[in-house]
Amino acid sequence: MVSIKRMEPEDHPALLRLWNRFEETTTTGADGPEGFAGFLGRNEGLCYCAVDGEDLIGSVMAGDDGRRGYVYHLAVDERYQGRGVGRMLMEEVEKSLRSRGVEKAHLFIYGDNPAIDFYRRLGWHLRGDIEIMSKVLIGSEYMGTRLDEGGADRE
Ligand SMILES: CC(C)(COP(=O)(O)OP(=O)(O)OC[C@H]1O[C@@H](n2cnc3c(N)ncnc32)[C@H](O)[C@@H]1OP(=O)(O)O)[C@@H](O)C(=O)NCCC(=O)NCCS
């Protein structure tokens, strides 16, 4: 049976395995062990895993910067997709953000990701009025991608 649990630093290796199965959940320097543990510490109670027994089968991470919430790394193992696990993860994270007083949340998504329709079903809407501008502040290398070269357009 699938259940939702708080994400912990020890989940890192299983999460990387999950994220690396999808092109859509890109990993960057921020997903290294230190960046990951730091993010969990700063955003306690905002990051969740879906588990089936010992198996980690889904994830979502959110950050609260004191103004808006940001959702990252939503993923569900292909074998468990279409069974409401993504919805459960998003409902948990939205509830947690709301309980911290966060009025609005955003997420970044590639324009061709079919998950846009998933989010729409959950009440999210695609913005047509905002473009994202990015700048690499610290070049890093992680999982074979240099952020200050080809990786500049990764999240
Ligand atoms: C997006 C993702 C997390 C959805 O997970 P899931 O567990 O299959 O989703 P659920 O079963 O909870 O679906 C919830 C609802 O969305 C709908 N839905 C799910 N995927 C959909 C899709 N691709 N297109 C349209 N609707 C979709 C479901 O039919 C369901 O509708 P209902 O509850 O009204 O019946 C999963 O497809 C995934 O891991 N994708 C790859 C990673 C990814 O792209 N992540 C997003 C990065 S921004």
Side-chain angles (χ1 to χ4, degrees):
M1 204 186 79
V2 176
S3 59
I4 305 295
K5 72 162 195 97
R6 278 200 188 191
M7 196 175 276
E8 295 168 73
E10 303 74 56
D11 295 318
H12 188 243
L15 287 165
L16 280 183
R17 283 196 294 277
L18 176 70
W19 298 335
N20 287 327
R21 283 158 63 167
F22 300 105
E23 262 181 30
E24 297 89 345
T25 43
T26 49
T27 49
T28 69
D31 296 301
E34 279 178 29
F36 173 75
F39 188 89
L40 289 190
R42 274 192 297 277
N43 296 289
E44 223 183 309
L46 292 181
C47 302
Y48 295 93
C49 297
V51 291
D52 183 3
E54 295 289 298
D55 297 333
L56 191 155
I57 58 103
S59 69
V60 67
M61 300 178 80
D64 164 16
D65 66 8
R67 184 178 163 83
R68 296 299 186 223
Y70 291 88
V71 175
Y72 302 98
H73 286 349
L74 175 75
V76 173
D77 183 314
E78 299 92 332
R79 290 165 295 180
Y80 289 83
Q81 288 183 10
R83 297 200 220 163
V85 178
R87 180 187 280 279
M88 276 202 292
L89 286 164
M90 286 302 292
E91 284 176 352
E92 199 66 39
V93 98
E94 289 174 26
K95 190 171 73 181
S96 307
L97 285 167
R98 212 176 282 120
S99 73
R100 284 166 71 131
V102 176
E103 295 174 329
K104 194 181 213 178
H106 303 295
L107 59 85
F108 302 99
I109 186 159
Y110 291 111
D112 62 354
N113 187 337
I116 287 174
D117 288 328
F118 159 85
Y119 288 117
R120 281 198 172 109
R121 284 191 90 79
L122 273 63
W124 291 68
H125 71 281
L126 197 61
R127 299 287 291 259
D129 56 340
I130 293 179
E131 299 283 346
I132 296 170
M133 296 184 73
S134 306
K135 180 175 182 177
V136 174
L137 301 179
I138 303 176
S140 64
E141 185 156 11
Y142 189 65
M143 314 275 298
T145 306
R146 270 202 72 74
L147 264 182
D148 52 357
E149 291 167 4
D153 281 343
R154 292 162 80 96
E155 169 262 305

